[in-house]
């Protein structure tokens, strides 16, 4: 007799009785208390992922915050007119109006547009000019 034939002769399937007793046997098997679970153990790689990644993300966030708050800003605000590449300084003569100044600054453009630029460049509140006043005007 071969080993598999012997094994099949020894191991026989147990028949469960038919009817209500059959369902009771299944219910009893399901109702068995669960085995206590073994505690979770982490491998070296698991500890690195579980602990290392949050530490790395927190460090990166601290570096970003440090750069934002500790690096000085390069932009400064001022109310003084800043001469740029496209502007020139002009002195207001006695009796000179903003219109005359705009025509003298850029005769090829509409004086109203040039006047608006002069008002914006110098942060003027009105169109009244004072003799000797220095104004930034667009270069023509």
């Amino acid at each position: 007799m071969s080993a598999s034939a012997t094994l099949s002769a020894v191991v026989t399937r147990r028949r469960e009785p038919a009817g209500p007793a059959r369902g009771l046997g299944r219910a009893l098997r399901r109702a068995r208390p669960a085995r206590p679970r073994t505690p979770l153990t982490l491998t070296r790689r698991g500890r690195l992922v579980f602990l290392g990644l949050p530490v790395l993300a927190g460090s990166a966030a601290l570096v970003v915050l440090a750069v934002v708050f500790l690096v000085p800003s390069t932009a400064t605000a001022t109310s003084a007119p800043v001469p740029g590449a496209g502007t020139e300084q002009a002195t207001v003569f006695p009796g000179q109006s903003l219109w005359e100044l705009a025509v003298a600054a850029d005769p090829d453009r509409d004086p109203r547009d040039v006047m608006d630029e002069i008002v914006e460049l110098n942060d003027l509140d009105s169109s009244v000019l004072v003799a000797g006043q220095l104004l930034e005007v667009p270069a023509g």
Side-chain angles (χ1 to χ4, degrees):
M1 196 182 250
S2 69
S4 62
T6 307
L7 183 62
S8 64
V10 173
V11 178
T12 60
R13 186 169 182 182
R14 200 173 111 191
R15 291 186 166 213
E16 295 181 7
R22 179 178 179 191
L24 184 61
R26 286 187 183 165
L28 288 176
R29 272 185 270 153
R30 284 189 208 132
R32 289 183 190 157
R35 289 182 285 164
R37 296 190 181 256
T38 58
L40 179 67
T41 57
L42 289 176
T43 62
R44 182 176 178 211
R45 178 196 276 171
R47 282 189 299 271
L48 177 67
V49 170
F50 190 68
L51 300 173
L53 285 180
V55 169
L56 184 65
S59 300
L62 285 176
V63 168
V64 168
L65 285 174
V67 167
V68 167
F69 289 113
L70 298 178
V71 174
S73 175
T74 56
T76 56
T78 180
S79 60
V82 179
T87 63
E88 298 174 346
Q89 275 196 339
T91 305
V92 178
F93 296 111
Q96 190 175 23
S97 67
L98 193 56
W99 182 276
E100 293 169 350
L101 191 63
V103 170
D106 196 353
D108 297 333
R109 291 178 49 200
D110 184 10
R112 291 171 291 199
D113 293 335
V114 179
M115 286 172 56
D116 289 338
E117 286 184 35
I118 293 172
V119 168
E120 186 177 337
L121 281 171
N122 296 286
D123 197 26
L124 298 176
D125 293 330
S126 69
S127 61
V128 177
L129 300 177
V130 179
Q133 185 178 5
L134 286 174
L135 294 176
E136 292 293 321
V137 295

